[in-house]
Amino acid sequence: MIVASQARRERERGASAVELAIVLPVLLLVVGGIIDFGRMFAAQMQVTQAAREGARMVALNYSAADVSTRVNNAAVGLTVSTAIQTACPAAGTTITTQASQVRVENSFSFMILDGVINLFGAGIAPTVTLQSTGSMRCNG
């Protein structure tokens, strides 16, 4: 009886190593994807907040340079492009229902998934353009 149990263990000796070799790359790819998409979600939140800050600055009639500075300060660590789509009329004019709009964009590239794609020689992974438009009623 002891001999049969020992023989079975000898036959299954490398089975766990083979199973690990099959499962580990898939597990690491899933974990890497979770990390990259988490980074992307955090960057999207920063872009959205930057667009809100920019729209607020335009609604209060700040200059385009001040708006750009405020947007860049809100998007710490990101390289963003800012476009004022709708500006507000000058202060002191009649009350309007117009809204200021600022569009903020950031080009996001994956860190872990890009490395995995390059391992297989598929070239550079595509970048994702994160964008958000902030809007706020003028003069307030």
Side-chain angles (χ1 to χ4, degrees):
M1 194 70 131
I2 295 174
V3 175
S5 174
Q6 189 175 14
R8 185 177 36 185
R9 267 188 272 156
E10 289 293 323
R11 283 192 314 258
E12 296 178 4
R13 187 172 173 183
S16 60
V18 171
E19 291 171 2
L20 179 67
I22 292 170
V23 172
L24 187 63
V26 174
L27 179 65
L28 291 176
L29 186 63
V30 168
V31 170
I34 290 170
I35 291 169
D36 272 348
F37 281 102
R39 287 180 53 245
M40 185 175 73
F41 183 67
Q44 178 63 46
M45 288 190 302
Q46 280 185 300
V47 167
T48 301
Q49 182 60 30
R52 288 180 188 148
E53 287 292 323
R56 180 177 163 271
M57 296 293 284
V58 171
L60 296 174
N61 290 317
Y62 282 88
S63 69
D66 290 338
V67 171
S68 181
T69 301
R70 185 64 167 252
V71 166
N72 288 330
N73 289 341
V76 177
L78 299 178
T79 304
V80 296
S81 63
T82 306
I84 299 174
Q85 293 183 324
T86 307
C88 290
T93 59
T94 60
I95 297 176
T96 179
T97 57
Q98 183 179 358
S100 65
Q101 287 188 339
V102 174
R103 183 179 187 89
V104 177
E105 292 184 355
N106 175 39
S107 180
F108 180 83
S109 60
F110 295 101
M111 185 173 65
I112 296 172
L113 294 179
D114 186 33
V116 171
I117 288 173
N118 286 334
L119 281 176
F120 295 107
I124 299 173
T127 59
V128 177
T129 301
L130 304 176
Q131 55 191 3
S132 182
T133 303
S135 179
M136 182 172 273
R137 188 173 55 101
C138 291
N139 297 326

